[in-house]
C-alpha cells in the first residue's frame, strides 16, 4: 500500500528533482525510461514530455486510450499555470478542506489537479515544461514520474 504524501513531502520532491540542463536527447532518454518502468508493471499509460510549449516525447502503451491524452493535457496545464506538480496543487486544496475544482474557478475540462504531471524545472531558470503520465490512479501516475526522475537525475 502506498502512503499518501504530505504537502511538505511533495514540495521536497520538487526541490530535489531539478535539472541542470534539459535537451531533446534528455527528453528522449527520460521518456524511454518512463516507458521501460511502465512496461515492467504492464501499466496502460500514455507518457508526455513538453518543454516551452513543444512536445518532445509521447508514447501510448497498450491499454491506454485517447482519454489519457486529454488527461495529460489537463494535468499539464495545471503545472504550466501553477508551476507545481498537478498532484501537489490538488493536495494543497485538499489540505485547506476544499477541492481544486471548487476553489480554483477554472474549467475542469481544461485543468485537472490530479496526479501525474510534474514540473520540468531548470536550475536558475524555473519551470520550463512538464513530464506527464496518465492511465493509473492519480498517486500511482505521480509516483511513476517521480521514480523515473529519481533514477534519471544524478
Amino acid at each position: 500500500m502506498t502512503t499518501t504524501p504530505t504537502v511538505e513531502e511533495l514540495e521536497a520532491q520538487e526541490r530535489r528533482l531539478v535539472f541542470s540542463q534539459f535537451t531533446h536527447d534528455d527528453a528522449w532518454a527520460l521518456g524511454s525510461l518512463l516507458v521501460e518502468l511502465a512496461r515492467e508493471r504492464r501499466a496502460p499509460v500514455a507518457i508526455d514530455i513538453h518543454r516551452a510549449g513543444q512536445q518532445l516525447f509521447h508514447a501510448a502503451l497498450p491499454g491506454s486510450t485517447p482519454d489519457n491524452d486529454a488527461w495529460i493535457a489537463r494535468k499539464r496545464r495545471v503545472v504550466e499555470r501553477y508551476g507545481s506538480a498537478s498532484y501537489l496543487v490538488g493536495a494543497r486544496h485538499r489540505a485547506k478542506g476544499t477541492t481544486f475544482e471548487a476553489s480554483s474557478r477554472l474549467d475542469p475540462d481544461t485543468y485537472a489537479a490530479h496526479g501525474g504531471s510534474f514540473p520540468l524545472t531548470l536550475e536558475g531558470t524555473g519551470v520550463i515544461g512538464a513530464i506527464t503520465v496518465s492511465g493509473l490512479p492519480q498517486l500511482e501516475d505521480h509516483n511513476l514520474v517521480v521514480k523515473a526522475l529519481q533514477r534519471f537525475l544524478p
Side-chain angles (χ1 to χ4, degrees):
M1 183 175 143
T2 303
T3 305
T4 302
T6 66
V7 168
E8 293 76 21
E9 290 167 332
L10 295 166
E11 289 171 344
Q13 287 175 346
E14 288 191 1
R15 286 191 299 274
R16 276 193 317 274
L17 300 172
V18 174
F19 291 83
S20 59
Q21 67 170 13
F22 195 80
T23 66
H24 286 76
D25 289 338
D26 292 327
W28 179 261
L30 178 56
S32 298
L33 174 59
L34 269 164
V35 167
E36 180 184 323
L37 293 173
R39 285 187 191 277
E40 284 174 6
R41 57 175 69 177
R42 292 185 173 90
V45 298
I47 299 163
D48 177 88
I49 301 176
H50 262 71
R51 182 188 68 189
Q54 181 183 20
Q55 184 178 54
L56 301 183
F57 184 92
H58 185 273
L61 299 184
S64 65
T65 69
D67 283 346
N68 296 120
D69 291 327
W71 275 98
I72 282 172
R74 292 168 58 216
K75 292 190 274 189
R76 186 184 69 243
R77 285 186 199 105
V78 168
V79 172
E80 292 167 348
R81 184 175 186 114
Y82 291 89
S84 291
S86 54
Y87 191 77
L88 173 56
V89 172
R92 285 176 175 151
H93 283 86
R94 288 187 296 277
K96 293 177 185 173
T98 185
T99 65
F100 174 79
E101 295 78 11
S103 60
S104 72
R105 301 178 54 88
L106 295 172
D107 181 354
D109 290 335
T110 305
Y111 295 91
H114 292 259
S117 192
F118 200 91
L120 176 56
T121 305
L122 201 59
E123 284 176 6
T125 302
V127 177
I128 60 166
I131 304 149
T132 312
V133 169
S134 176
L136 301 169
Q138 66 170 329
L139 182 54
E140 291 178 43
D141 278 347
H142 174 83
N143 286 341
L144 183 58
V145 174
V146 168
K147 182 176 182 179
L149 287 169
Q150 289 170 335
R151 284 198 188 174
F152 188 81
L153 290 166

